[in-house]
Amino acid sequence: MRHGFSYRSASWLIDIDAPPTLPPTMRTLAVFRPDDHFPEPATPAQTLRDRLNTHLRSVGVEPPRGRVVALLSPRVAGYVFNPLSVFWCHDPDDTLACVVAEVHNTYGERHCYVVSPDEHGNAQVTKAFYVSPFNPVDGTYRLHVPPPRDNGCIDVSVTLHRTDEAPFTATLSGQARPATPRRILATQLVAPFAPLVVAARIRRHGIHLWLRRLPIRPRPTRTATPSPQGAR
């Protein structure tokens, strides 16, 4: 069984130490909350950098001392859903120290893969997190996560590999533009309420595959890290 789709959507490319703050009249279109990312319990006054550092230390990785650029979705109208967020972590000399690929599933759980890509932006990591009800927790992810280019071009892909097959591939490509008020409003015409629409599309495709009798893979028992209320 083959199933594929392509959509236009909208994500933000930000410096995690200076997340954008929109004017009050536009704030429902993008709010960046640190507790929307990383699996550790949130504490008051934590920044996104604090949460990144806490997670990296928990997996035995030295936190970066340079800039960190993230590709993610903010809260829109109070709702957030990030199927994949990517954090490019740099050393003080601006060389890439590591990449954190954070995955959220529709059960309100999250998991981070920390990788060291090669000079082409490629890395491999064993799958360790239940995402789709049609894929068990096995196989290897091949990630293509080169840093954003100087002109703002983004080219990210994730492919799940098993023996002699690649049952799942997802790609995200686009061009970053300055987040002016006019452009933010225009984006809502192209991709309105992007996080909500993305979550709805994932569920719709899941129902479609279920109706085609694609077998459901049992969800393993694990300690879930729930997302904040409203972030499913």
Side-chain angles (χ1 to χ4, degrees):
M1 184 183 298
R2 295 183 63 86
H3 183 72
F5 54 87
S6 177
Y7 292 118
R8 294 189 70 181
S9 190
S11 298
W12 285 64
L13 187 67
I14 69 169
D15 182 329
I16 69 167
D17 294 318
T21 301
L22 273 62
T25 55
M26 300 179 64
R27 205 154 291 170
T28 58
L29 301 181
V31 174
F32 299 86
R33 279 181 34 177
D35 59 347
D36 286 334
H37 298 276
F38 303 106
E40 287 72 25
T43 59
Q46 273 190 319
T47 65
L48 194 51
R49 169 80 71 161
D50 293 334
R51 292 191 57 72
L52 169 66
N53 291 350
T54 297
H55 178 72
L56 289 176
R57 290 190 184 102
S58 75
V59 296
V61 176
E62 183 67 23
R65 293 180 291 117
R67 66 187 179 98
V68 177
V69 177
L71 179 68
L72 46 76
S73 177
R75 285 181 174 261
V76 179
Y79 184 88
V80 65
F81 180 64
N82 273 283
L84 176 67
S85 302
V86 184
F87 296 79
W88 288 275
C89 306
H90 295 82
D91 287 326
D93 63 0
D94 216 33
T95 58
L96 189 65
C98 67
V99 172
V100 180
E102 181 186 34
V103 180
H104 289 220
N105 63 23
T106 56
Y107 304 99
E109 300 167 332
R110 3 175 140 160
H111 182 81
C112 293
Y113 297 96
V114 182
V115 298
S116 297
D118 63 19
E119 65 273 19
H120 304 294
N122 299 319
Q124 290 193 170
V125 64
T126 301
K127 182 179 179 180
F129 181 58
Y130 185 77
V131 182
S132 166
F134 307 108
N135 279 304
V137 184
D138 66 0
T140 299
Y141 283 128
R142 294 183 184 177
L143 308 178
H144 181 65
V145 285
R149 299 174 191 166
D150 292 340
N151 62 1
C153 285
I154 300 291
D155 181 19
V156 171
S157 67
V158 178
T159 304
L160 177 63
H161 280 263
R162 299 196 190 101
T163 304
D164 300 325
E165 65 172 349
F168 172 82
T169 298
T171 63
L172 188 154
S173 60
Q175 175 75 50
R177 305 290 187 186
T180 62
R182 182 175 180 178
R183 191 175 298 278
I184 293 169
L185 291 173
T187 298
Q188 289 303 307
L189 299 177
V190 177
F193 303 104
L196 182 61
V197 171
V198 167
R201 284 170 174 165
I202 288 174
R203 289 172 171 86
R204 181 169 69 84
H205 286 288
I207 293 171
H208 175 78
L209 292 170
W210 177 72
L211 290 174
R212 293 176 66 187
R213 300 185 183 277
L214 187 64
I216 299 292
R217 305 298 182 178
R219 181 182 170 199
T221 302
R222 68 187 300 273
T223 301
T225 303
S227 300
Q229 184 176 4
R232 291 292 295 171

